[in-house]
Amino acid sequence: MSGHPVGAAIAEGNGYTIVENASLHGRNTFHVAARARMLVDVRKPAALGELFGYAALRTQPLLVLGEGSNVLFTRDWPGVVLAIAAHGVRVLGDDGGRTHVRVEAGEPWNDFVRWSLARGYAGLENLVLIPGTVGAAPIQNIGAYGTEVREFIVAVEAWDRHAGQLVRIANADCAFGYRDSVFKRERDRYIVTAVEFELVRERPLRLDYAGVREELAAMGIDEPRAPAVAEAIARIRTRKLPNPALLGNAGSFFKNPLVERAHADALREAHPALPAWPAGDRSKLSAAWLIEACGYKGLREGDAAVSDQHALVLVNRGHASGAALWALAERVRAGVRERFGVELEPEPLVV
């Protein structure tokens, strides 16, 4: 694979392009500098069979990348970065009450949310303005404002590297959990190529989360419908979260930690303002509150910083490296661990 100019296409097939020594700077929303030994853009999932016939894809480390909104590159990638670039939304069936929709993995998530709202469907409004692709949504089981994407997924189509073919995995077999799925646990096996959703036109709205009702009231809306809820949540998100197009970030960097109830009760007794929610037989704590209580909101080390808008967000204020951002994240984790005895887990994939 040597002898080609940096970033030069070395193969163009039916439905894919391969580039050697490719820059990933524009492929991650942290805007950190990194390169991949090989970058493969796949426009037709059927081409995966041919691609995995190449030894490089079978033997080198493989990273599947969407919009790069949930990854932090701390180094160059030593193998293959594969991006599913297929787009499109197709209605598979409609019985009048429920609509079955197939969405290609490369479709931007927010575009699909807007597509559903424009056609009168309800349910996805709480997930508006989440960055990333549709293919990434089931991997992370994305969620916001009291809603998770698993509630709407019928099945996920994926390339199974073990079987060497496309497979259709029903919702019940996706092992969805809090920011988790079988696709996240078995990254080396599955490559998501499309997602099937069930959408409805009438669904109870979820308004009892993070100031949604207050925002609707400020908008002068007493009897909201799904598009108004989406607008309210978009306004809240825009105020709270920096725009990755303007300031490099990957949204919430840390998960809200799940702890034993006894631990949560003890922390709440010592710190009554700490937000906590029931989560099965455990409790979920506010990671943002823990970080802010440690004094890390707005902390800056060179161009790596904790956002002064939201303590959960790490930002690149210029030319921070991925390694510098991860060092800052580790400092935050250590501080929270030392003060509260709570382990924070990163949401993005750190590579």
Side-chain angles (χ1 to χ4, degrees):
M1 295 295 180
S2 60
H4 298 277
V6 172
I10 59 173
E12 185 88 34
N14 182 18
Y16 66 87
T17 303
I18 300 176
V19 175
E20 185 181 56
N21 190 18
S23 171
L24 300 173
H25 182 273
R27 300 272 185 151
N28 73 93
T29 59
F30 267 119
H31 309 310
V32 298
R35 306 196 75 84
R37 182 163 184 241
M38 191 182 301
L39 173 65
V40 184
D41 280 305
V42 181
R43 297 179 299 279
K44 297 179 181 178
L48 287 167
E50 178 181 338
L51 282 165
F52 280 101
Y54 294 137
L57 269 79
R58 295 196 309 272
T59 60
Q60 294 187 32
L62 178 70
L63 175 67
V64 180
L65 192 65
E67 287 187 348
S69 61
N70 201 46
V71 64
L72 173 61
F73 287 104
T74 63
R75 60 189 172 110
D76 290 341
W77 184 252
V80 178
V81 169
L82 187 148
I84 301 295
H87 291 260
V89 181
R90 183 159 51 99
V91 174
L92 300 180
D94 188 338
D95 65 5
R98 299 177 181 275
T99 303
H100 189 176
V101 178
R102 173 190 167 96
V103 189
E104 301 302 319
E107 192 73 20
W109 171 257
N110 194 53
D111 286 3
F112 172 53
V113 173
R114 296 295 189 184
W115 179 95
S116 74
L117 291 167
R119 284 156 183 79
Y121 298 112
L124 300 183
E125 59 275 359
N126 290 44
L127 303 179
V128 71
L129 225 58
I130 295 178
T133 60
V134 167
I139 298 172
Q140 187 76 357
N141 183 25
I142 59 171
Y145 296 89
T147 299
E148 290 183 331
V149 72
R150 64 175 170 182
E151 300 171 56
F152 309 95
I153 291 176
V154 175
V156 175
E157 180 190 271
W159 180 265
D160 184 342
R161 295 176 66 189
H162 292 181
Q165 63 183 22
L166 287 169
V167 295
R168 183 177 182 272
I169 303 171
N171 181 303
D173 298 319
C174 292
F176 288 125
Y178 174 59
R179 304 295 181 268
D180 198 17
S181 70
V182 67
F183 312 106
K184 186 173 183 178
R185 295 176 208 168
E186 299 190 45
R187 290 183 186 274
D188 293 339
R189 178 172 181 178
Y190 294 112
I191 300 170
V192 176
T193 54
V195 185
E196 297 175 28
F197 297 89
E198 183 179 85
L199 303 176
V200 297
R201 297 187 183 279
E202 296 296 332
R203 181 184 175 90
L205 299 175
R206 292 183 183 166
L207 309 177
D208 297 320
Y209 193 95
V212 176
R213 288 187 186 276
E214 292 79 359
E215 190 68 28
L216 287 164
M219 293 164 58
I221 297 174
D222 298 325
E223 298 182 5
R225 295 190 63 80
V229 175
E231 176 60 23
I233 289 173
R235 292 185 183 197
I236 296 169
R237 288 184 69 93
T238 300
R239 285 199 304 270
K240 289 173 63 174
L241 301 173
N243 184 343
L246 305 176
L247 189 63
N249 73 91
S252 297
F253 194 87
F254 298 105
K255 300 177 185 178
N256 286 324
L258 294 170
V259 301
E260 298 301 321
R261 282 187 180 177
H263 189 180
D265 291 343
L267 286 174
R268 290 269 292 161
E269 186 172 348
H271 309 280
L274 169 60
W277 307 272
D281 59 353
R282 295 192 287 174
S283 294
K284 184 187 296 185
L285 305 179
S286 168
W289 190 95
L290 296 170
I291 294 166
E292 196 163 344
C294 289
Y296 292 135
K297 187 176 181 180
L299 174 68
R300 182 167 179 172
E301 295 182 347
D303 280 347
V306 179
S307 171
D308 51 15
Q309 286 180 259
H310 199 305
L312 271 189
V313 181
L314 299 189
V315 295
N316 180 358
R317 293 199 171 278
H319 301 286
S321 67
L325 285 158
W326 180 237
L328 178 61
E330 289 281 57
R331 177 178 170 182
V332 170
R333 296 178 76 200
V336 170
R337 185 188 308 119
E338 182 177 346
R339 181 169 180 189
F340 297 107
V342 174
E343 191 70 38
L344 294 182
E345 290 184 45
E347 276 203 35
L349 176 66
V350 180
V351 296

